[in-house]
Amino acid sequence: MATTTVNHLTNHHQLSSTTNRHRITSYFNDSTLNDINKFSNKSIRLAKSITNLLNLSIDKPSLKSLLQRFNQNVVVQADSKLDLPTSSPKEDISTLWRQIHGGSDWENLLDPLHHLLRREIIKYGEFAQATYDAFDFDSFSEYCGSCLYNQQSFFNKLGLQKHGYDVRRYVYAMSQYEIPRWLEKSYVADTWSKDSNWMGYVAVSDDVETRRIGRRDVVVAWRGTVLPSEWYEDMQRDLEPLGHGEAKVERGFLSIYKSKRVTTRYNKTSASDQVMGELKRLVKFYKERGEEVSLTITGHSLGGALALLNAYEASIMFPTLPISVISFGAPRVGNIAFRDELHHKGVKALRITIKQDLVPRMPGIVFNETLQKFDDLTGTLEWVYHHVGAELKLDVRASPFLKRGSNFIGIHHPETYLHLIDGYVSSTSPFRPDAKRDVALVNKYCDMLVNELRIPPCWYQLSNKGLVSNKVGRMVRPKRSSEDIPSPPIEEENLDV
Amino acid sequence: MATTTVNHLTNHHQLSSTTNRHRITSYFNDSTLNDINKFSNKSIRLAKSITNLLNLSIDKPSLKSLLQRFNQNVVVQADSKLDLPTSSPKEDISTLWRQIHGGSDWENLLDPLHHLLRREIIKYGEFAQATYDAFDFDSFSEYCGSCLYNQQSFFNKLGLQKHGYDVRRYVYAMSQYEIPRWLEKSYVADTWSKDSNWMGYVAVSDDVETRRIGRRDVVVAWRGTVLPSEWYEDMQRDLEPLGHGEAKVERGFLSIYKSKRVTTRYNKTSASDQVMGELKRLVKFYKERGEEVSLTITGHSLGGALALLNAYEASIMFPTLPISVISFGAPRVGNIAFRDELHHKGVKALRITIKQDLVPRMPGIVFNETLQKFDDLTGTLEWVYHHVGAELKLDVRASPFLKRGSNFIGIHHPETYLHLIDGYVSSTSPFRPDAKRDVALVNKYCDMLVNELRIPPCWYQLSNKGLVSNKVGRMVRPKRSSEDIPSPPIEEENLDV
């Protein structure tokens, strides 16, 4: 009897909000409901906004069809590689390095992509990617926002010692402006730093690598952010001057690059001061030894933007030094004068982008979601902000290993970039079958690989989130080993451009 | 200039859906938007529904106030225990076991809670909890839905060998009805079973434990589900008869307990057949050796419901055997005749509940979210469905280690139950300071602990989700070791009640 009534009534899908108001109590209080609403509205708004703003056409099959489509070739291709090395053999590029670093603006090297250039791009991309793998995201750690490892063990811990570089200095940044979702903060009261985050590092090629590549290569790798949409919205509205000319850049990027405060532990000097001080020492040291020296600056996303600011400063301090920027998924940073000044100072910039990645279209994309007259405005901003340098444009659809779909976070991830570069031959060729990198890496932080490969999404994680069992079997947070505890950087003299 | 315009316009929070319709393209296609809407609507509906339906008043402080409130006492209390054992010492209960298992319906043992009963409840609760820790939830595994370990190593792998029991049989279940979100299925085509999930086990006390507790204790532990809301909605609408009397039970539970199909690998016999066959063998064996034998059936959530069905059957097959059920957060299962028959047959049931847990209030709660006349209906269902046995009622607010808030998934978790039992003294006393269990366990699968303890939420996870680096450094899914690969159960003769 009761049963019939129930089955009948479940066809209704609305709550009665009037008859039972007396029972509306606070199991969920208002703020919870607001949070749920806010979150959903935000997602929906973002989705709608992107639908409005892009003229891309990516087909998104349902999960069902994804599961049904058994991509046997992909599995066979992936399985057949399981015992093969994950990178190309090293070749001597000592006579080619100027070309590889943009000596002729990468003309005739990008389409088709020269195999030696590909290998170098992947090397620098792995340097940029390492800033994510080594970052302490754990807000319950008193070291949240720092690097997990010390400088000496950095490349070893990340499996990058193969590249033959040594870290010489860590870089920390703060921002004088409140930038939403930028700074990773610890919940813990007594933390290593309340203001700063680890923001990257300076490294130098060792003697063996130096011989192979034809000069002493100084590298700066800048950390980015994986979820850029929120803070880009707030940041890109203001341009501020850089240097003494007409060049202007986005205020938020400049703030991260230049902010300092004497009351902080890690940013008594700015990120810019820290890097430029180290570069000055290193360039002087190797020049005095009579070595050829070059500077390569790399970064993904926000890190790519900082790389350009860094290159701008370095080109003023070292007018004759070969400087190149290799960026991945970076947004536009400054106006046309900024672009022109970089060009005139001889900075060579190679921007790697993915056609479906939104971030290289910024500014002018995401923050417009709430605007009514966005067409005009996008025009204005496109006119204001300019990209710098040559572009290597990738396409997620080129890889048989990647899901087709609208995963705009996954598409922006640095491992997705590295995977697509690894398989890229030319704008008209299919993914190369002899690509080297481990395809599984793509899913480290996202869900981009086709299910047939059976690589779980977001697999990069510690056992029990780093908790370990103590001698009586209680799960405890281990102390970070003393050599991996961050210590404040040595102060630099101020270095103004 | 552009800047001013932007700041002005960002005050609008609506998209123009008319002027730019030509740009509405398929980066997100409709089905994605529908999914987002559906998901959000569902969450909001559920939240609103619960707000409507419950007369609970749990204060939910904001995250900010949680972070500000530094609960020094809690930290000190937790830290001071780091070297103490995690369970009470074993005491001989051979003369008390009938009382502990409900011989006098737990009169005068629950409030205050007798310390020897507490220890036994925790033992059985850990047996129930183990069914979650050992379950393969990985949908990319061909063994998804099975037990990760073989019977021989089961308790060792889970750190439960201390209890002195041996697993004698694994139990598998299927359902003849489609029960949403019940069956965990592998994405992989060639899987161990397409129809069945591992559903629990039968174990027996070893000789040492048998001496301590005064009889040979046969245990059945039934696995539940951690996210019950969806399938409860669909399941609780129909009652079906059980046995030959008036007793009726919820159709979904009965289906899981009783379904079988000759074309399956693991359910040619039903879960009921598998368990009853094993019990028959074990009881016969130990009786013939002249031993005193008892049966204790345990389970959490859905597992607690199955435990009652199992007890009903067992009480018919073994009319003189002492049978007790210790359930955690279990819903109501059947009508008043079901309750009375269990009572008359001498089954002793102890239901552990948490005041703020929704599941023990089912049926009559969650599925009503879409109904308009739910008051009547809730009344009807409460009249139809009856709880069985004695109740030990806990309160999340008793523990200083738990967040105050409306985390209804976390509140339902078995580790939350075990934590609260461990600290329970009486309905009027505070959490006991000499509680033994590791508080960190509460956050295994949820986010219930106050932030000051710095135990990350949902920390129970494998390094890199089980992927391992092969000899060339590629991340691969290791093969499950051959002894842990499930094999179909031996067929039982049909055992009808």
Side-chain angles (χ1 to χ4, degrees), chain B residues 460-487:
Chain B
Y460 192 73
Q461 61 181 31
L462 291 174
S463 169
N464 296 332
K465 294 199 175 174
L467 298 183
V468 293
S469 179
N470 76 3
K471 65 179 189 294
V472 295
R474 292 181 190 269
M475 300 303 288
V476 295
R477 175 180 296 278
K479 293 234 176 297
R480 197 187 274 199
S481 66
S482 59
E483 69 267 26
D484 290 332
I485 292 175
S487 53

Side-chain angles (χ1 to χ4, degrees), chain A residues 118-132:
Chain A
R118 183 194 294 113
R119 199 188 191 287
E120 296 303 295
I121 291 173
I122 288 175
K123 177 175 83 179
Y124 294 110
E126 290 182 345
F127 287 156
Q129 205 284 322
T131 61
Y132 295 104

Side-chain angles (χ1 to χ4, degrees), chain A residues 279-297:
Chain A
L279 291 183
K280 210 171 161 182
R281 264 192 300 276
L282 290 171
V283 171
K284 184 161 177 281
F285 177 81
Y286 290 110
K287 286 276 187 200
E288 284 177 359
R289 284 177 34 162
E291 294 192 25
E292 176 116 54
V293 185
S294 72
L295 172 62
T296 313
I297 312 179

Side-chain angles (χ1 to χ4, degrees), chain A residues 2-3 5-7 9-10 12-16 19-20 22-29 32-33 36-37 40 43-45 47-58 60 63 67 81-86 140-142 187-188 237-238 356 358 367 369-375 377 380 406-408 411 436-440 451 454-465 467 470-477, chain B residues 2-3 5-7 9-10 12-16 19-20 23-29 32-33 36-37 40 43-45 47-58 60 63 67 81-86 140-142 187-188 237-238 356 358 367 369-375 377 380 384 406-408 411 436-440 451 454-465 467 470-477:
Chain A
T3 313
T5 325
V6 176
N7 284 333
L9 286 170
T10 46
H12 298 270
H13 284 279
Q14 292 302 318
L15 272 169
S16 161
T19 54
N20 306 300
H22 64 284
R23 300 194 69 176
I24 299 180
T25 51
S26 62
Y27 189 83
F28 276 87
N29 67 9
T32 314
L33 280 176
I36 292 172
N37 278 306
S40 343
S43 316
I44 293 164
R45 239 175 40 228
K48 282 185 181 159
S49 146
I50 292 166
T51 310
N52 279 335
L53 287 162
L54 291 184
N55 274 310
L56 295 171
S57 175
I58 303 184
K60 183 177 186 310
L63 180 65
L67 296 182
K81 282 196 187 160
L82 287 178
D83 294 327
L84 298 181
T86 58
F140 286 111
S141 159
E142 62 264 49
Y187 286 164
V188 182
R237 295 180 194 145
D238 290 300
Q356 295 84 0
L358 300 177
F367 89 105
E369 57 173 303
T370 54
L371 299 184
Q372 305 221 355
K373 295 183 184 167
F374 69 87
D375 266 359
L377 227 126
T380 314
S406 51
N407 179 349
F408 58 93
I411 290 169
K436 304 287 189 228
R437 300 190 88 239
D438 183 6
V439 171
N451 287 330
R454 296 176 56 203
I455 301 297
C458 310
W459 57 259
Y460 192 72
Q461 62 180 31
L462 291 173
S463 167
N464 296 334
K465 294 200 175 175
L467 298 182
N470 76 4
K471 64 180 190 296
V472 296
R474 291 180 191 270
M475 299 304 288
V476 295
R477 176 181 294 279
Chain B
T3 312
T5 326
V6 177
N7 285 335
L9 285 171
T10 46
H12 297 271
H13 284 279
Q14 291 303 318
L15 273 168
S16 160
T19 54
N20 306 300
R23 301 192 68 176
I24 299 181
T25 51
S26 61
Y27 189 81
F28 275 86
N29 68 7
T32 314
L33 280 176
I36 293 173
N37 279 307
S40 343
S43 315
I44 295 164
R45 239 176 39 229
K48 283 185 181 159
S49 145
I50 292 168
T51 311
N52 280 335
L53 287 163
L54 290 183
N55 275 310
L56 295 171
S57 174
I58 303 184
K60 181 174 188 310
L63 180 64
L67 297 181
K81 281 194 190 163
L82 289 179
D83 295 328
L84 299 181
T86 58
F140 287 111
S141 158
E142 64 265 48
Y187 286 164
V188 182
R237 295 179 194 146
D238 290 299
Q356 294 84 1
L358 301 178
F367 91 105
E369 58 172 304
T370 51
L371 298 185
Q372 305 224 356
K373 294 183 186 168
F374 70 87
D375 265 0
L377 227 124
T380 314
V384 172
S406 52
N407 178 349
F408 60 93
I411 290 169
K436 305 288 188 224
R437 298 189 91 239
D438 183 6
V439 172
N451 287 328
R454 297 176 55 204
I455 301 298
C458 310
W459 57 259
Y460 192 73
Q461 61 181 31
L462 291 174
S463 169
N464 296 332
K465 294 199 175 174
L467 298 183
N470 76 3
K471 65 179 189 294
V472 295
R474 292 181 190 269
M475 300 303 288
V476 295
R477 175 180 296 278

Side-chain angles (χ1 to χ4, degrees), chain A residues 153-420:
Chain A
S153 66
F154 184 83
F155 285 131
N156 261 305
K157 295 273 189 182
L158 298 163
L160 296 179
Q161 68 280 18
K162 63 183 178 187
H163 289 317
Y165 283 67
D166 300 310
V167 175
R168 292 301 176 88
R169 160 140 216 171
Y170 277 172
V171 181
Y172 299 88
M174 60 173 284
S175 172
Q176 56 176 311
Y177 305 117
E178 192 66 33
I179 298 175
R181 300 248 177 147
W182 173 64
L183 194 72
E184 293 286 339
K185 276 185 185 167
S186 175
Y187 286 164
V188 182
D190 189 18
T191 171
W192 70 290
S193 164
K194 289 192 190 312
D195 312 278
S196 307
N197 271 187
W198 177 68
M199 208 62 208
Y201 59 90
V202 182
V204 181
S205 57
D206 64 20
D207 293 345
V208 176
E209 178 71 357
T210 296
R211 273 194 299 280
R212 185 184 78 86
I213 61 179
R215 85 292 186 197
R216 187 71 63 173
D217 187 31
V218 180
V219 167
V220 186
W222 290 93
R223 188 174 60 82
T225 50
V226 177
L227 292 159
S229 67
E230 296 228 2
W231 58 263
Y232 276 125
E233 283 185 51
D234 276 39
M235 283 170 69
Q236 59 204 4
R237 295 180 194 145
D238 290 300
L239 284 163
E240 284 192 2
L242 179 73
H244 306 297
E246 294 294 309
K248 288 184 177 180
V249 294
E250 199 282 310
R251 188 181 79 153
F253 300 141
L254 193 61
S255 172
I256 293 172
Y257 186 63
K258 282 295 217 180
S259 292
K260 57 186 166 188
R261 196 186 300 135
V262 286
T263 54
T264 64
R265 295 186 65 199
Y266 285 78
N267 279 110
K268 295 186 193 306
T269 60
S270 67
S272 151
D273 295 338
Q274 294 166 32
V275 169
M276 294 309 294
E278 186 65 23
L279 291 183
K280 210 171 161 182
R281 264 192 300 276
L282 290 171
V283 171
K284 184 161 177 281
F285 177 81
Y286 290 110
K287 286 276 187 200
E288 284 177 359
R289 284 177 34 162
E291 294 192 25
E292 176 116 54
V293 185
S294 72
L295 172 62
T296 313
I297 312 179
T298 186
H300 165 260
S301 195
L302 165 67
L306 299 174
L308 275 189
L309 298 181
N310 189 185
Y312 182 92
E313 270 203 318
S315 69
I316 292 169
M317 185 177 279
F318 314 108
T320 60
L321 191 75
I323 300 174
S324 58
V325 172
I326 299 181
S327 73
F328 302 82
R332 282 172 282 199
V333 176
N335 63 2
I336 196 162
F338 175 67
R339 183 196 69 180
D340 290 346
E341 284 193 44
L342 277 168
H343 184 71
H344 293 140
K345 290 177 207 303
V347 170
K348 302 299 182 184
L350 178 59
R351 299 183 302 113
I352 326 285
T353 63
I354 294 175
K355 191 181 164 194
Q356 295 84 0
D357 184 5
L358 300 177
V359 178
R361 294 159 176 256
M362 293 177 175
I365 285 284
V366 172
F367 89 105
N368 287 323
E369 57 173 303
T370 54
L371 299 184
Q372 305 221 355
K373 295 183 184 167
F374 69 87
D375 266 359
D376 288 358
L377 227 126
T378 307
T380 314
L381 282 165
E382 274 172 5
W383 179 82
V384 172
Y385 285 96
H386 280 79
H387 271 309
V388 174
E391 182 179 17
L392 172 60
K393 198 173 204 163
L394 309 165
D395 188 329
V396 283
R397 292 172 301 188
S399 165
F401 303 99
L402 301 184
K403 280 179 183 161
R404 304 287 172 265
S406 51
N407 179 349
F408 58 93
I409 302 291
I411 290 169
H412 181 56
H413 258 282
E415 288 288 359
T416 306
Y417 272 85
L418 289 168
H419 169 70
L420 289 174

Side-chain angles (χ1 to χ4, degrees), chain B residues 173-404:
Chain B
M174 60 172 284
S175 172
Q176 57 176 312
Y177 305 117
E178 192 67 32
I179 298 175
R181 302 248 176 150
W182 172 64
L183 194 71
E184 294 286 340
K185 276 184 185 169
S186 174
Y187 286 164
V188 182
D190 189 17
T191 172
W192 71 288
S193 163
K194 290 193 192 306
D195 313 278
S196 307
N197 271 189
W198 177 69
M199 209 61 208
Y201 58 92
V202 182
V204 182
S205 57
D206 64 20
D207 292 347
V208 175
E209 177 72 356
T210 297
R211 273 195 297 279
R212 185 184 77 84
I213 61 178
R215 86 290 185 198
R216 188 70 63 174
D217 187 31
V218 180
V219 168
V220 186
W222 290 93
R223 189 173 60 81
T225 51
V226 178
L227 291 159
S229 66
E230 296 227 4
W231 57 261
Y232 275 125
E233 285 184 48
D234 276 39
M235 284 172 67
Q236 58 204 3
R237 295 179 194 146
D238 290 299
L239 285 163
E240 285 193 359
L242 179 72
H244 306 295
E246 293 294 307
K248 288 184 177 181
V249 294
E250 199 283 309
R251 188 181 79 156
F253 301 141
L254 193 62
S255 172
I256 292 171
Y257 186 64
K258 281 294 213 181
S259 292
K260 58 186 166 188
R261 196 185 302 136
V262 285
T263 54
T264 65
R265 295 186 65 200
Y266 285 79
N267 280 108
K268 295 187 193 305
T269 60
S270 66
S272 151
D273 295 337
Q274 294 167 32
V275 169
M276 296 307 295
E278 186 66 22
L279 292 182
K280 209 171 162 182
R281 262 193 301 276
L282 290 170
V283 171
K284 182 161 178 281
F285 178 81
Y286 291 109
K287 287 274 188 198
E288 284 178 0
R289 284 175 35 158
E291 295 192 26
E292 176 117 52
V293 184
S294 73
L295 172 62
T296 313
I297 312 177
T298 187
H300 165 260
S301 193
L302 164 68
L306 299 175
L308 276 188
L309 298 181
N310 188 185
Y312 182 93
E313 270 202 319
S315 70
I316 293 168
M317 186 177 281
F318 313 108
T320 60
L321 191 73
I323 299 174
S324 58
V325 171
I326 299 183
S327 73
F328 302 83
R332 281 172 282 200
V333 176
N335 63 1
I336 197 161
F338 176 66
R339 183 196 68 179
D340 290 345
E341 282 194 45
L342 277 168
H343 185 72
H344 293 140
K345 290 177 206 303
V347 170
K348 302 298 181 182
L350 177 59
R351 299 184 299 116
I352 327 284
T353 63
I354 295 176
K355 193 182 162 190
Q356 294 84 1
D357 185 4
L358 301 178
V359 177
R361 294 159 178 258
M362 294 176 173
I365 288 280
V366 172
F367 91 105
N368 286 324
E369 58 172 304
T370 51
L371 298 185
Q372 305 224 356
K373 294 183 186 168
F374 70 87
D375 265 0
D376 289 357
L377 227 124
T378 306
T380 314
L381 281 165
E382 273 171 6
W383 178 82
V384 172
Y385 285 97
H386 280 78
H387 272 309
V388 174
E391 181 180 18
L392 172 60
K393 197 175 204 162
L394 309 165
D395 189 327
V396 282
R397 290 171 302 188
S399 165
F401 303 99
L402 300 185
K403 281 180 183 160
R404 303 287 171 267

